Amino acid sequence: MAKKSLEPLTEPMFYTLLCFHRSEMCGTEISSYVNDLTEGRVKLGPGTLYSLLSLFQSEHLIEKLPAEGRRISYRITERGEKLYQQEINRLETCLRDAQR
């Protein structure tokens, strides 16, 4: 199976990294935050979300924190923060191009 490209980020990828940019979160917190932030426009179902978390861990964009009971939280790594900022810059450039 071909490796999924991380650039440009899909909307679910972008919003998941946005969550970690803000704070450490568990899966249910991510799903709820993205739903609230986008007013339901971006939906992160369990399959999509946990696939992204697995991909992001394997690419060292996030790291798993010690479990608190059944709750597993993650935080962004320096590499993940760099990718997030690159995507912000790419999107800002797209907006500038559209406004010209």
Side-chain angles (χ1 to χ4, degrees), residues 20 23-26 29 53 57 62-77:
F20 292 126
S23 72
E24 300 168 355
M25 291 190 186
C26 70
E29 290 171 322
L53 294 176
Q57 278 188 278
I62 62 171
E63 58 190 9
K64 189 185 293 189
L65 299 172
E68 296 174 13
R70 291 180 43 158
R71 182 175 186 249
I72 299 173
S73 293
Y74 305 84
R75 72 174 159 220
I76 198 165
T77 63

Side-chain angles (χ1 to χ4, degrees), residues 7-8 10 12 15-17 19 21 23 28 39 42 44 46 55 57 59 63 70 72-74 76 80 82 87 92:
E7 294 180 35
T10 64
Y15 281 102
T16 300
L17 280 181
C19 288
H21 173 75
S23 72
T28 55
E39 298 177 338
V42 177
L44 289 176
L55 173 65
Q57 278 188 278
E59 294 293 328
E63 58 190 9
R70 291 180 43 158
I72 299 173
S73 293
Y74 305 84
I76 198 165
K82 183 177 177 182
E87 184 65 7
E92 287 173 339

Side-chain angles (χ1 to χ4, degrees), residues 48-98:
T48 299
L49 179 58
Y50 288 98
S51 292
L52 286 178
L53 294 176
S54 178
L55 173 65
F56 286 174
Q57 278 188 278
S58 69
E59 294 293 328
H60 307 287
L61 303 176
I62 62 171
E63 58 190 9
K64 189 185 293 189
L65 299 172
E68 296 174 13
R70 291 180 43 158
R71 182 175 186 249
I72 299 173
S73 293
Y74 305 84
R75 72 174 159 220
I76 198 165
T77 63
E78 187 175 317
R79 184 169 187 224
E81 186 65 36
K82 183 177 177 182
L83 180 63
Y84 174 75
Q85 293 301 326
Q86 287 173 342
E87 184 65 7
I88 293 288
N89 292 339
R90 186 189 74 79
L91 292 169
E92 287 173 339
T93 300
C94 289
L95 285 173
R96 281 193 303 274
D97 291 345

Side-chain angles (χ1 to χ4, degrees), residues 11-13 15 31 34-36 38-45:
E11 271 191 315
M13 289 174 160
Y15 281 102
S31 183
V34 170
N35 186 61
D36 292 347
T38 66
E39 298 177 338
R41 186 178 55 80
V42 177
K43 296 186 185 339
L44 289 176

